[in-house]
Amino acid sequence: MTTHQANRFSSLIGEIYDAAVDPALRSGALEQVSQFVGGCAAMILSRDSARLTIEIQQHFGTDARFRQLYRDRYVELDPLLDRHLTLASEQTIGVTDIMSHADFLETSFHREWVEPQGAIDLATVALEKTAARTTILQVLRHRSRGTVDDAMRERMRLLAPHIHRSQIMGRQIRARSHTVDDLADVLDGLNTAICLLDADGRVVHANAACRQLFADANLLAIVGDRIVARNTQTDKIFRSLCEFDEGTHSAARRQIELATSADGQHYLLHAFPLKRDRSLPRDIAATMLFVQRASMLPLLAADAIAAAFRLTPSELRVLMAIIETGGVPDIAAKLGVAETTVKTHLGRLFEKTGAGRQADLVKIAAGFAVPFARRTSGDDGAA
């Protein structure tokens, strides 16, 4: 291989791996592979071990009609395809490794499929062999270049492991991308506002409910890539939740705080530490922040609350009124009962739930919130 060819080979390896990251580059990379090894057309195809299915994963220089013909008929007449079942991976073979070229010219595979494409010969190399399937690179040789030679075999052998690794990388990248997209869709479907923060408190991701919370800006707002509290009480709570160290880590995991927004709404805040290493890259989530509006009565599973704590209908009504209204006088007025009656039910609620104050009752009830947001037409998923 000359210096120019070696430089071209090195550049081509880079193009092959670039195609793993950007699928739009695959066709161009395969074209460069075909030309570098001395071919005029190429396909990467995969066949299952039972020889029942054939999949053309990538192609260059082959007309759609010929690809369909290959799948429908000529795959069974290809003299090289199944030879790789017994050969080592990355071993390149040409027609003359199987039969004389004169005999190959007489086959219907050559006359009806290879020759009409302007080719005279072909070579293949196995990229991957598993118990389930074999994947190969097939390259056609144009009649003007003559039959497959040793230089073509060697170049295909050298490129095969890089093409194989590129395919593996591409699968892993796509799998990760799908996982991230699916997770984002799930988070956007929740009515609880969820925000992922890095080790320095910068926002890495916010679901739809959280983005709406920031847009309303009554409790928390986003300035640049950081969260800003709208009042002193919430700021103090937010900072305490997001400041973790080794000594407070286990306690912080269980800490839930009640904050009040500028418009008087009550919210439950809970921060869960994921990682505490400040040397992590900027886009790695270190903390997950949950924000749930405490007055979301329609989203509470009231029947489940009543069953869990064996509440009477009157006790459940008082509990729901505590979440929505708050003080005993207001609850009494709302329900049309005496304040002493409310206090009696409140005492029973404390006894049955183990709560010591009304704020604790709110936190307990929030644990029975329906997790998924109720979507309407035109809804972006925010609660």
Side-chain angles (χ1 to χ4, degrees), residues 66-290:
F66 284 102
R67 293 196 300 273
Q68 189 62 48
L69 284 171
Y70 186 87
R71 282 189 291 257
D72 293 345
R73 171 174 169 77
Y74 293 103
V75 61
E76 301 302 335
L77 303 178
D78 187 338
L80 301 183
L81 179 60
D82 290 334
R83 294 282 179 166
H84 289 284
L85 295 175
T86 58
L87 296 176
S89 296
E90 301 172 15
Q91 181 175 344
T92 305
I93 56 174
V95 170
T96 55
D97 296 314
I98 307 301
M99 64 178 73
S100 70
H101 192 259
D103 288 341
F104 176 62
L105 296 179
E106 297 299 320
T107 64
S108 58
F109 179 70
H110 176 268
R111 293 196 313 269
E112 300 169 12
W113 194 79
V114 175
E115 187 176 33
Q117 297 186 75
I120 193 173
D121 203 355
L122 76 160
T124 58
V125 60
L127 303 177
E128 182 177 18
K129 292 174 61 176
T130 68
R133 60 182 47 244
T134 300
T135 301
I136 72 164
L137 167 66
Q138 177 197 84
V139 181
L140 293 180
R141 183 85 159 181
H142 193 268
R143 63 170 67 95
S144 63
R145 302 293 298 269
T147 58
V148 171
D149 55 19
D150 290 340
M152 183 175 183
R153 289 185 176 89
E154 178 64 8
R155 292 185 183 189
M156 290 179 65
R157 184 189 69 79
L158 292 173
L159 288 174
H162 298 288
I163 298 173
H164 177 213
R165 293 186 196 115
S166 176
Q167 289 186 314
I168 294 175
M169 289 170 58
R171 288 197 294 265
Q172 292 174 337
I173 292 171
R174 290 193 299 275
R176 180 182 179 187
S177 176
H178 289 318
T179 300
V180 170
D181 290 343
D182 291 344
L183 178 58
D185 287 342
V186 171
L187 293 180
D188 279 347
L190 300 177
N191 61 58
T192 298
I194 299 175
C195 185
L196 301 179
L197 308 173
D198 70 8
D200 291 323
R202 293 173 295 213
V203 175
V204 174
H205 177 78
N207 71 343
C210 193
R211 295 193 296 272
Q212 185 60 52
L213 184 73
F214 292 151
D216 294 340
N218 290 316
L219 182 74
L220 300 170
I222 186 77
V223 177
D225 55 3
R226 293 184 182 275
I227 295 175
V228 176
R230 302 301 293 174
N231 57 61
T232 303
Q233 177 226 26
T234 303
D235 181 68
K236 183 178 179 181
I237 290 173
F238 174 69
R239 290 179 182 277
S240 68
L241 286 175
C242 295
E243 290 178 355
F244 302 107
D245 56 46
E246 293 295 337
T248 62
H249 180 251
S250 59
R253 292 170 66 98
R254 297 189 298 271
Q255 189 176 7
I256 300 176
E257 296 290 347
L258 184 66
T260 304
S261 65
D263 60 353
Q265 298 289 332
H266 299 299
Y267 288 84
L268 294 165
L269 277 69
H270 174 45
F272 186 90
L274 302 176
K275 296 183 182 296
R276 303 182 301 284
D277 184 358
R278 290 190 175 273
S279 65
L280 289 170
R282 184 191 184 287
D283 61 345
I284 298 298
T287 302
M288 182 176 288
L289 175 68
F290 300 86

Side-chain angles (χ1 to χ4, degrees), residues 5-64:
Q5 291 169 340
N7 291 336
R8 180 68 192 97
F9 177 78
S10 177
S11 175
L12 179 55
I13 296 301
E15 293 177 30
I16 290 171
Y17 287 115
D18 285 344
V21 180
D22 185 355
L25 302 177
R26 291 179 193 164
S27 179
L30 186 59
E31 177 181 0
Q32 295 302 314
V33 166
S34 177
Q35 293 176 355
F36 180 76
V37 303
C40 62
M43 292 193 300
I44 294 179
L45 48 92
S46 180
R47 193 177 199 188
D48 71 299
S49 56
R51 305 183 186 184
L52 296 177
T53 62
I54 186 78
E55 177 189 0
I56 298 177
Q57 299 178 359
Q58 296 173 233
H59 57 84
F60 157 71
T62 56
D63 185 81

Side-chain angles (χ1 to χ4, degrees), residues 297 300 302 305 315-325 334 365:
L297 285 179
L300 293 180
I305 298 174
E315 292 165 352
L316 181 61
R317 282 196 297 272
V318 170
L319 176 59
M320 295 296 104
I322 289 171
I323 297 170
E324 184 178 27
T325 306
K334 178 180 178 62

